[in-house]
Amino acid sequence: HNPHPWRKSPVLKDILTMPQYFRKHGYVAIGSGKTYHGSFPDSASWNEYWPSLTQQKPPDPVPENRPLNGIPNTRHFDWGPVGAAKEEMGDWQVADWVIDQLGKEHDKPFFLACGFFRPHLPWYAPQEYFDKFPLESIVLPVVDENDTADIPEAGKALIKFRDHDNVTKYNQWEKAVQGYLASGNFVDECVGRVLDALENSQYKDNTIVVLWSDHGWNLGEKMHWRKFALWENTTRTLFMIKPPGMAGNGSVCSHPVNLLNVYPTLVELCGLPHNSLNEGTSVVPLLESPDREWETASVTTHGKDKHAVRLRNWRYIQYDDG
């Protein structure tokens, strides 16, 4: 779960993270932004990190009079425009730093990590991004009021019914979706700035680009908000890989894969020795031929003995009550 310091885990305390493994094999590993969970940055992974090895991102400006949505005792479950320029946002500054690295001369191969915080809650972004999504244009998800009837009790226990009750009670559904879209649009611009910098750099033809998000999301579907569940919406993520010259570049692959696959895939693409401790599967065969047969299921775990298995068009969920 989120509050677990993974370097104190008996299983994980001595592992070589992906950037550590690349450092071991001659790479310089540098980065900025949210790449590890915010509370647990990993200084052992990096040669250099900005703003520091113990602080992954600069702080964001926050609006006054929080919460903006009027929901009491809501902590960071909040949304609305912040009275600040986009250049003041932490993610924008992370992009600036990464762009600067792409403009430098590097005498060693580099592993460059760029982590963006948005669209993590709270959905605070400059007004210009909210203006792109007028409330009258917002389309809410279609929610069947009986949609939880076939979910076992262990699954219902994960649903944030209180969040949905508050969103509807305080008439915030459209504004919440607007905040989510605004935050996503803001971070899209940050991603685009970094990719433009790569395209205009001397490294554009010999750099593998991997773009992913860490989880899916519910915006009221099944009366649930946030992540913390095992359904398709909640666990399906964005995942793109572009290695120079690969046959499948620009194609869409319909097979479910897993974020555990990033590590062994990059190891193979870069010609490094296989790491026998990797539990993921290299997806290089899919990068070469996205339509090929693929029989490796993707497994997602959320808490002890709660798992979802995904293969082809199928999803199977088993909870801890059997």
Side-chain angles (χ1 to χ4, degrees), residues 151-157 304-306 317-322:
I151 299 174
E153 291 306 311
K156 288 181 182 176
K304 181 172 170 56
D305 296 330
K306 300 183 184 76
I317 299 175
Q318 181 161 314
Y319 295 100
D320 54 352
D321 61 355

Side-chain angles (χ1 to χ4, degrees), residues 3 9-12 37 39 43 50 97 125 141 148 161 163 166 180 218 279 285 287 310-311 313 316:
S9 157
V11 178
L12 300 176
H37 191 247
S39 302
S43 58
W50 188 81
W97 188 89
T148 61
F161 287 110
D163 285 340
N166 280 332
Y180 183 72
N218 275 50
E279 293 184 8
L287 300 177
R310 187 74 163 74
L311 183 65
N313 297 325
Y316 172 76

Side-chain angles (χ1 to χ4, degrees), residues 204-216:
K204 69 173 186 175
D205 294 326
N206 67 347
T207 299
I208 302 164
V209 178
V210 188
L211 179 65
W212 76 91
S213 59
D214 55 348
H215 51 77

Side-chain angles (χ1 to χ4, degrees), residues 255-293:
H255 294 298
V257 293
N258 197 285
L259 295 182
L260 284 174
N261 299 349
V262 176
Y263 194 154
T265 299
L266 286 180
V267 166
E268 181 175 350
L269 287 172
C270 293
L272 305 187
H274 172 68
N275 183 349
S276 62
L277 294 179
N278 280 162
E279 293 184 8
T281 303
S282 170
V283 297
V284 168
L286 291 176
L287 300 177
E288 294 171 334
S289 178
D291 295 326
R292 68 179 295 144
E293 290 291 312

Side-chain angles (χ1 to χ4, degrees), residues 206-273:
N206 67 347
T207 299
I208 302 164
V209 178
V210 188
L211 179 65
W212 76 91
S213 59
D214 55 348
H215 51 77
W217 196 261
N218 275 50
L219 287 163
E221 299 93 337
K222 295 189 187 295
M223 280 62 84
H224 183 67
W225 288 76
R226 317 191 204 209
K227 43 185 177 179
F228 306 119
L230 286 168
W231 306 310
E232 184 81 355
N233 272 20
T234 328
T235 56
R236 185 180 180 186
T237 69
L238 178 82
F239 187 25
M240 306 181 191
I241 305 180
K242 186 185 178 185
M246 191 65 76
N249 282 352
S251 302
V252 175
C253 177
S254 62
H255 294 298
V257 293
N258 197 285
L259 295 182
L260 284 174
N261 299 349
V262 176
Y263 194 154
T265 299
L266 286 180
V267 166
E268 181 175 350
L269 287 172
C270 293
L272 305 187

